Amino acid sequence: MATKTFSFNTDPHVATVNGMDLRFQAEVMGDEFMDAFGELRDAQKAAQGIDLEDLSTLDPAALRGAARGLRGFLARLMLAEDAERFTALDVVTKEGQVLSTHQDWDEAQQAADQVDGARAKWAMPMPDRILVALMEWVTELYGGGADARPTGSSSASARALPRGGKGGAARSRSKA
């Protein structure tokens, strides 16, 4: 009788961004990942048609919506504490004083609208290139990409073979 043992990853995946660790769930079940990915796709559909070559047609609200969708996708896959930090929005004055912190963009914007010159901004600002790189990384982790593997070392990993003896005496074709 053949027996095969399977186990779940138990250690969270960690992405270090500018010295700050963002912890992602050790395992994400298929439906959970696909639901989060579906929400991201919906946010990106709303931003379709943006032509960065012709900025006169740029709809900032659509672009912001796509960026919020990307943050939401990543946050759904993070551990709760890190997701809360990652999606926190500060309402700040012109001078940069934080008036309040919110988890919802519309709520933060409403609070900012009540104070002259205040605005809502991400408490953890992050360049879009980093957000996109994080999205690609978690898609590989949870979507079954080529690099999907448990974090840390594995006792089942093959060890490198020791190099023994001398190198071969054959001539390389590239040197011929």
Side-chain angles (χ1 to χ4, degrees):
M1 175 165 92
T3 302
K4 179 126 177 119
T5 304
F6 296 91
S7 62
F8 292 125
N9 294 331
T10 56
D11 295 327
H13 301 282
V14 179
T16 303
V17 179
N18 215 30
M20 186 178 338
D21 287 346
L22 296 173
R23 296 169 301 152
F24 289 81
Q25 297 173 41
E27 291 283 357
V28 174
M29 304 310 149
D31 287 346
E32 188 176 358
F33 176 78
M34 292 310 297
D35 289 346
F37 197 77
E39 288 177 16
L40 171 62
R41 194 177 57 208
D42 291 345
Q44 289 177 333
K45 278 183 186 177
Q48 278 185 336
I50 294 175
D51 181 5
L52 295 178
E53 299 297 320
D54 181 9
L55 296 181
S56 66
T57 64
L58 181 66
D59 179 7
L63 198 54
R64 280 190 206 101
R68 282 196 303 268
L70 183 51
R71 274 192 185 252
F73 167 74
L74 292 167
R76 281 192 62 174
L77 303 172
M78 287 181 186
L79 298 184
E81 178 183 309
D82 290 358
E84 189 174 317
R85 277 188 308 136
F86 186 69
T87 58
L89 297 147
D90 289 337
V91 174
V92 296
T93 63
K94 291 179 196 175
E95 297 78 27
Q97 177 188 1
V98 176
L99 301 173
S100 59
T101 301
H102 306 268
Q103 289 302 128
D104 179 74
W105 184 266
D106 292 331
E107 182 182 302
Q109 191 58 52
Q110 286 176 353
D113 290 344
Q114 295 177 8
V115 178
D116 188 40
R119 64 185 178 92
K121 70 178 199 83
W122 295 109
M124 183 186 293
M126 198 166 296
D128 288 342
R129 68 180 175 80
I130 301 294
L131 292 173
V132 169
L134 284 169
M135 178 199 63
E136 291 170 348
W137 180 65
V138 298
T139 300
E140 288 176 2
L141 284 174
Y142 304 130
D147 289 337
R149 60 182 172 270
T151 56
S153 62
S154 167
S155 60
S157 296
R159 298 182 191 270
L161 294 174
R163 289 193 63 106
K166 295 182 179 179
R171 289 184 52 176
S172 166
R173 287 184 183 186
S174 63
K175 293 180 182 177

